[in-house]
Amino acid sequence: MSSMPGSQRWETPAAKAIPREGFFKLEQGRYGPIFPQTPACYGFSVVAKVKPGREQTVRDYGKTIEEAVATNPFVLAPLKLHYLRWILFDVGSGLHFMYQGIFDTDFDKYLEDAVALFVKTGITTVFVNLEGWPDDWRTNLASVIKFFREHQCPSFLEYGEYPYVTADEVKKALRLKAAFSQMLDQMQ
Amino acid sequence: MPAPELEFDDIQHILLTRAPALTGRYEFLSFHDGAAARVWLSAITDKVQSVAQARSTVAEDRRWVTVAFTWNGLAALGLDRASLASFPEEFRQGMVARADILGDTGANDPGNWVGRLASPDLHAIVILFARDDAEHDRCVAEHQKLIAACSGVEVLSWLDLKAVPPFDYAHDHFGYRDRLSQPVIEGSGEEPTPGSGPPLKAGEFILGYPDEDGPPANLPNPDRLSRNGSYMAYRRLEEHVGRFRDFLRAQGGPAEQELTAAKLMGRWRSGAPLTLAPDKDDPQLGADMQRNNNFTYRDMDPHGYAVPLGSHMRRMNPRDTAHNMNRRRMIRRGATYGPHLPEDAPDDGQERGIAAFIICASLVRQFEFAQNVWINDRTFHELGNERDPVCGNHDGTLEFKIPRRPLRKTIRGLPAFTTLKGGAYFFLPGLKALRYLASLGETAHN
């Protein structure tokens, strides 16, 4: 980790090579080893095989989320996200689904909040279309977390152009810029 | 759908009632012999009050007894492997194994704990709350007689409790009024105070009832063992009163000292919340349960100008500025211990503090979340380099920021005001479950 004071770390782009297991030293989180924060924040890349005949259902899920966010732009706020990417691909071993997220809370908290969100909002999770997804996911958080941990493919390299910055800090900086612009306008 | 009726005659009193006790004792036991342990349990179970008993006789009762077990304790009592395996992983591992997750490192490391609380031989706790010293001494003597008659049951250590004067309201050694914000359980018969939110489903705190997400699931088995039970995280937290007072004196005159103390907590020591009394203490407000918890943060104090974002109260219950709050609440019980340090006396080096129980249906979702994310996460609310100023893990390198106009005040090098001296995870069975555990030997022979 950079030795630079926290307030200046964002000025220097940083890259981090990550060991095969996904962490530098074994630190236990509430549900398993902690995947560390990198210059690209916290995140995961979950890869799983799609159940046969479910491709269109998975693709339709894109529209569901688009509409849910349009209806309530803050519906995913509990997840403290920067970005999410949903990808379908087939490189000869059947259709696979990849879910990449970059966010500002640790892995365990993300999953707790995600399951709570799915249950509360009624957004049917796309994961029910994946092989190995636990049938009792609604009531058995531990089994969901096990699925995510088993299907997580840790990065071996992550890069941040403005490393270690949270989404809230980015939004705060943009709000500040807007406020200064407005102040300067008022002084004309 | 109407809430299921709570089985008050089976739930241990500590879950739903607060005994009017000024003294008490925790005894920590080890079972070297399962049969002797069951004899002891059978005898002590008669002394354990249910909620119904405690409520009906609270005016006359002079003592209140609670019994709970570690996972190793349940094994020592003779619980079968399948039942033991059905308990959640964090409870099976125990608090010592979860130290890194809880932030119990450095001075708080289990290696520094007292009373053999870090030992795998810790099997049970007996909690005595007593109305006065005479009753305390009588109960202790009675229990010593019982232990003497059960060879194979060892008292590893004990902790005597003592309220801090003046006794007309509950407060800790730092002088903060206590017991101001507690969740209320649906069907308990209690009414939440204004601002405390609606009652929560019983399953958030008591096993066997629906919780905020739906019907109960994944409970330990058999059902008669888990029903009406709960989990308790025990924390023996030493309060460094001399260090705390020295720190306040360094902040300025008496008014600035009191304000700093209030900013650390989020309330004046009288209990008055800074959201409702931002500039000046209001002891009447602090003592008024109809008013002293009636506030939110998102609209009333979004930037923390009244209650700093990193203050103890705001971390332990972020109210409307956090998600899924109904699944994170906890019941707190406990008492102070150690001698009172008079206001102008120098620190006498004696240990004093709070010995508390955090009661919840899921240690990992409720208690461990609070420790991990709210208390010890340095980036809570984007604060950076802060932890809970009262009970977070501090090594003198962290800071505490007090928002104020035009510029915030940053206190650097915040000392540790508290040190964890011991802890454990306990399962708190219902009364029928206590009898079931006491009968395990008979079951084996049948």
Side-chain angles (χ1 to χ4, degrees):
Chain A
M1 191 164 283
S2 166
S3 58
M4 223 172 269
S7 58
Q8 290 167 31
R9 278 201 295 172
W10 57 269
E11 285 188 306
T12 310
K16 195 77 158 172
I18 300 163
R20 181 180 291 271
E21 53 275 16
F23 44 82
F24 300 95
K25 74 176 177 104
L26 179 61
E27 282 180 86
Q28 282 298 324
R30 283 179 299 139
Y31 295 104
I34 295 175
F35 297 113
Q37 189 189 30
T38 75
C41 304
Y42 293 97
F44 55 54
S45 303
V46 173
V47 180
K49 198 166 186 181
V50 178
K51 288 177 181 169
R54 301 286 182 91
E55 177 175 356
Q56 196 53 48
T57 314
V58 174
R59 288 195 180 279
D60 291 347
Y61 180 75
K63 208 68 193 163
T64 309
I65 290 290
E66 181 187 316
E67 284 163 10
V69 175
T71 306
N72 175 9
F74 302 103
V75 66
L76 298 180
L79 305 183
K80 308 276 276 178
L81 287 160
H82 288 255
Y83 301 104
L84 286 178
R85 284 191 165 159
W86 285 267
I87 297 150
L88 283 171
F89 64 92
D90 185 349
V91 288
S93 53
L95 189 68
H96 281 71
F97 169 87
M98 180 159 74
Y99 178 43
Q100 282 190 309
I102 293 177
F103 45 85
D104 292 325
T105 63
D106 70 58
F107 196 89
D108 291 339
K109 182 164 185 306
Y110 178 94
L111 292 175
E112 272 188 344
D113 288 339
V115 174
L117 196 66
F118 293 150
V119 170
K120 200 169 287 177
T121 60
I123 299 173
T124 313
T125 168
V126 70
F127 300 103
V128 298
N129 300 297
L130 304 178
E131 290 186 358
W133 181 253
D135 291 334
D136 61 348
W137 66 273
R138 281 178 187 278
T139 55
N140 193 350
L141 180 67
S143 70
V144 174
I145 288 174
K146 185 163 173 274
F147 173 89
F148 271 89
R149 284 189 171 274
E150 283 175 357
H151 289 78
Q152 147 78 341
C153 301
S155 308
F156 66 87
L157 174 66
E158 294 199 351
Y159 172 81
E161 179 69 22
Y162 42 95
Y164 303 107
V165 178
T166 68
D168 278 345
E169 285 169 332
V170 171
K171 287 191 277 188
K172 197 180 265 188
L174 292 173
R175 270 200 298 272
L176 200 60
K177 186 181 166 192
F180 265 113
S181 299
Q182 198 184 15
M183 182 189 83
L184 293 171
D185 289 346
Q186 294 293 325
M187 291 174 71
Q188 295 300 311
Chain B
M1 202 172 71
E5 284 196 22
L6 303 185
E7 293 165 11
F8 293 132
D9 58 349
D10 194 38
I11 300 166
Q12 288 204 46
H13 70 90
I14 196 169
L15 252 160
L16 287 170
T17 60
R18 208 185 265 291
L22 285 180
T23 174
R25 173 183 281 217
Y26 304 154
E27 291 199 359
F28 300 91
L29 308 183
S30 190
F31 304 142
H32 303 297
D33 177 84
R38 293 190 293 271
V39 170
W40 168 83
L41 176 56
S42 192
I44 196 85
T45 298
D46 289 340
K47 313 287 182 194
V48 177
Q49 288 110 318
S50 67
V51 173
Q53 286 170 321
R55 281 182 174 175
S56 65
T57 57
V58 69
E60 309 92 79
D61 284 347
R62 305 192 56 75
R63 59 105 187 104
W64 298 266
V65 175
T66 301
V67 176
F69 305 95
T70 63
W71 188 72
N72 286 342
L74 294 173
L77 279 168
L79 192 62
D80 65 86
R81 279 188 187 187
S83 289
L84 287 167
S86 67
F87 279 85
E89 187 178 12
E90 70 278 8
F91 174 68
R92 285 187 272 131
Q93 291 183 351
M95 190 178 279
V96 171
R98 310 284 283 182
D100 285 348
I101 299 164
L102 300 172
D104 298 343
T105 56
N108 296 339
D109 188 280
N112 300 324
W113 290 0
V114 298
R116 295 166 69 187
L117 296 181
S119 164
D121 295 335
L122 172 61
H123 291 154
I125 183 173
V126 191
I127 302 168
L128 166 72
F129 290 136
R131 206 177 269 280
D132 51 40
D133 288 337
E135 183 64 8
H136 168 280
D137 295 348
R138 188 191 70 78
C139 294
V140 167
E142 285 288 317
H143 194 233
Q144 277 171 354
K145 269 192 258 172
L146 174 59
I147 293 281
C150 302
S151 75
V153 177
E154 181 194 1
V155 178
L156 293 177
S157 64
W158 67 84
L159 180 69
D160 279 321
L161 311 172
K162 205 176 175 58
V164 179
F167 300 131
D168 52 346
Y169 70 101
H171 54 282
D172 70 353
H173 286 280
F174 295 145
Y176 292 106
R177 180 186 283 268
D178 202 358
R179 304 179 185 173
L180 294 169
S181 181
Q182 288 274 9
V184 167
I185 301 174
E186 193 177 86
S188 68
E190 291 173 37
E191 282 296 317
T193 56
S196 300
L200 296 173
K201 301 285 184 205
E204 291 297 315
F205 310 99
I206 312 172
L207 303 186
Y209 298 88
D211 62 26
E212 290 287 317
D213 257 8
N218 309 310
L219 299 179
N221 56 55
D223 179 67
R224 60 179 160 167
L225 175 60
S226 60
R227 183 157 189 84
N228 293 318
S230 191
Y231 297 99
M232 299 197 307
Y234 172 60
R235 307 288 277 177
R236 172 169 168 171
L237 212 55
E238 179 180 9
E239 295 184 296
H240 304 292
V241 177
R243 191 183 297 168
F244 179 71
R245 290 176 183 168
D246 289 346
F247 166 81
L248 290 183
R249 284 185 200 109
Q251 302 306 310
E256 188 64 20
Q257 289 181 35
E258 270 312 307
L259 182 63
T260 304
K263 292 289 185 184
L264 294 173
M265 178 59 66
R267 292 180 186 270
W268 298 92
R269 288 195 266 194
S270 71
L274 285 164
T275 28
L276 302 179
D279 304 315
K280 196 165 151 287
D281 191 9
D282 181 348
Q284 279 187 323
L285 168 66
D288 184 350
M289 294 300 282
Q290 291 304 305
R291 293 193 293 145
N292 63 19
N293 207 32
N294 196 9
F295 57 89
T296 56
Y297 294 125
R298 194 187 300 159
D299 297 327
M300 291 176 73
D301 189 23
H303 304 294
Y305 285 118
V307 179
L309 300 176
S311 64
H312 177 69
M313 179 175 78
R314 200 156 177 162
R315 281 178 180 263
M316 293 309 296
N317 184 359
R319 298 183 181 230
D320 57 344
T321 58
H323 302 280
N324 302 323
M325 277 300 300
N326 286 357
R327 308 232 66 204
R328 310 286 190 204
R329 302 302 307 278
M330 294 160 275
I331 292 172
R332 227 191 88 204
R333 296 282 187 259
T336 48
Y337 68 92
H340 170 60
L341 187 68
E343 191 55 41
D344 296 321
D347 203 325
D348 55 8
Q350 295 207 56
E351 191 192 331
R352 51 177 62 82
I354 295 176
F357 301 96
I358 293 89
I359 303 177
C360 54
S362 169
L363 290 164
V364 67
R365 171 167 53 81
Q366 291 159 289
F367 170 70
E368 291 192 347
F369 177 89
Q371 278 291 132
N372 190 266
V373 179
W374 285 345
I375 293 176
N376 282 318
D377 184 353
R378 293 190 202 194
T379 62
F380 179 80
H381 274 322
E382 318 301 324
L383 287 167
N385 211 32
E386 282 194 33
R387 283 181 175 148
D388 187 309
V390 179
C391 61
N393 186 333
H394 285 270
D395 59 3
T397 64
L398 303 182
E399 56 195 32
F400 182 68
K401 291 179 276 293
I402 303 174
R404 64 181 183 186
R405 295 185 178 95
L407 290 174
R408 71 185 181 195
K409 176 179 178 180
T410 300
I411 297 172
R412 295 183 204 285
L414 198 72
F417 298 127
T418 56
T419 301
L420 186 73
K421 304 296 280 188
Y425 286 158
F426 293 103
F427 175 62
L428 175 78
L431 292 179
K432 284 182 197 147
L434 287 178
R435 290 186 197 104
Y436 166 71
L437 288 167
S439 73
L440 283 175
E442 299 160 29
T443 316
H445 292 297
N446 287 340

